[in-house]
Amino acid sequence: MNGMVNWKNINSSPVAALNRNQKLLDILCAKGNKANKGQRDLFVRSDSGVDEIGLYTASAQKTTGKVSDAIQDLINFEYLEGTETENGFIFGGVEYFNRDIPPISLDKCQKVKAENNAIVFRTGNYYQFTDEVGKTHICTCTYGRMRQPHSDGKRGMRDNTSFEIGRFWNMLARNGTFLGLYYSEETERRLINEAGITEGFFSVQVGDDRQEYYYSNGNAGTAVLKERYDNTYQMFMTLNETVFRDYTPGSVFLVGGKEYVLSEDKKLDIPYGADIYDMKWPPRNQAQM
């Protein structure tokens, strides 16, 4: 008997080991499931109405039917701090639904008014504008850009005029060279005039972006980059013999509606800041042509 092998004991050892391993796996899985209990993966789709903030998040702890002014401000100015969903927002573990977002009160909106010919749109503020038929439109300065209020978009309210107004000021704050591709001269002048900007040098700032211009009534466009104005003025002052070579001394030029007489050394005493783009030239000297 001592030389015989107990096959029953050998066969039962791997089975027992397998059972023990399976029990260990079951315990580990149970702990993992317990830790993940109450959580879910939430996919946030990205389209014209929903910004892609993140792919996964913990579910909201609770929901509420009231969207206060403070939450409305978060939706419009700090929405990247929360989680945007197709149906609303989650802030601090509380879910707020699109259907409960109220319209923006005009009491929260600032009227756009230039000070010292400077327009400044500051991040975190609401601004109201009036169109040519007297209808009011609202923009926010959010993350340094003028735009239609995000809360209105979440409510399903699309205002193309707010979009156009916001883009207008955004372009001016950076580079308004190509404004004419998007806006008529009439629209440009109306928006600039309604903001209280007068002829001459002015500036527009949106967030941290700022640009300087010259408001002209001439043929170079309504808003001429100050850098371009400076270069043109410098040309008139330093290259006068070339610019005015075909004109005789005593010739009268109209600059911004004012008369300037060409001197004997072919100079025009035009003051800096005159509308050099609103210039009427006299007939050239035929003998020199």
Side-chain angles (χ1 to χ4, degrees), residues 45-110:
R45 68 185 180 88
S46 175
D47 59 17
S48 60
V50 179
D51 294 324
E52 185 178 352
I53 297 172
L55 294 180
Y56 299 95
T57 182
S59 61
Q61 299 172 1
K62 60 180 180 179
T63 61
T64 179
K66 180 177 176 54
V67 176
S68 64
D69 282 354
I71 295 300
Q72 188 180 56
D73 291 346
L74 288 177
I75 292 172
N76 284 314
F77 303 117
E78 302 291 343
Y79 56 85
L80 294 182
E81 300 300 320
T83 301
E84 185 169 4
T85 70
E86 184 174 0
N87 297 318
F89 272 96
I90 299 174
F91 291 107
V94 180
E95 186 168 11
Y96 303 89
F97 295 107
N98 296 334
R99 63 176 180 266
D100 298 320
I101 299 175
I104 296 169
S105 171
L106 291 181
D107 292 338
K108 300 174 67 172
C109 304
Q110 298 184 21

Side-chain angles (χ1 to χ4, degrees), residues 46-245:
S46 175
D47 59 17
S48 60
V50 179
D51 294 324
E52 185 178 352
I53 297 172
L55 294 180
Y56 299 95
T57 182
S59 61
Q61 299 172 1
K62 60 180 180 179
T63 61
T64 179
K66 180 177 176 54
V67 176
S68 64
D69 282 354
I71 295 300
Q72 188 180 56
D73 291 346
L74 288 177
I75 292 172
N76 284 314
F77 303 117
E78 302 291 343
Y79 56 85
L80 294 182
E81 300 300 320
T83 301
E84 185 169 4
T85 70
E86 184 174 0
N87 297 318
F89 272 96
I90 299 174
F91 291 107
V94 180
E95 186 168 11
Y96 303 89
F97 295 107
N98 296 334
R99 63 176 180 266
D100 298 320
I101 299 175
I104 296 169
S105 171
L106 291 181
D107 292 338
K108 300 174 67 172
C109 304
Q110 298 184 21
K111 292 185 177 180
V112 181
K113 193 66 177 177
E115 293 185 9
N116 299 320
N117 245 20
I119 291 289
V120 179
F121 296 104
R122 302 191 184 280
T123 297
N125 288 334
Y126 298 92
Y127 296 93
Q128 60 175 295
F129 303 85
T130 304
D131 62 22
E132 61 271 24
V133 297
K135 183 179 179 180
T136 299
H137 304 269
I138 297 175
C139 288
T140 64
C141 188
T142 304
Y143 298 116
R145 310 303 294 156
M146 291 289 286
R147 55 173 292 171
Q148 180 189 5
H150 201 40
S151 62
D152 281 354
K154 295 295 286 184
R155 293 171 57 231
M157 303 297 293
R158 302 296 179 182
D159 187 344
N160 290 332
T161 301
S162 290
F163 169 79
E164 295 292 342
I165 292 173
R167 181 174 63 177
F168 177 81
W169 294 111
N170 289 335
M171 290 182 67
L172 277 177
R174 292 187 170 185
N175 189 332
T177 301
F178 301 106
L179 273 179
L181 296 178
Y182 302 93
Y183 305 93
S184 67
E185 185 174 337
E186 178 184 1
T187 298
E188 290 180 30
R189 293 191 184 280
R190 180 177 60 80
L191 290 173
I192 290 176
N193 290 339
E194 288 178 354
I197 296 173
T198 58
E199 295 175 14
F201 295 109
F202 72 97
S203 65
V204 175
Q205 180 174 339
V206 177
D208 293 330
D209 294 325
R210 182 179 181 275
Q211 190 61 263
E212 294 182 276
Y213 296 91
Y214 184 87
Y215 182 6
S216 172
N217 283 314
N219 56 12
T222 306
V224 180
L225 283 170
K226 183 178 181 296
E227 181 181 5
R228 179 183 175 187
Y229 178 96
D230 289 343
N231 291 336
T232 304
Y233 183 81
Q234 187 69 10
M235 178 188 69
F236 282 146
M237 296 297 104
T238 60
L239 301 177
N240 54 294
E241 291 185 359
T242 300
V243 175
F244 302 116
R245 65 184 177 183

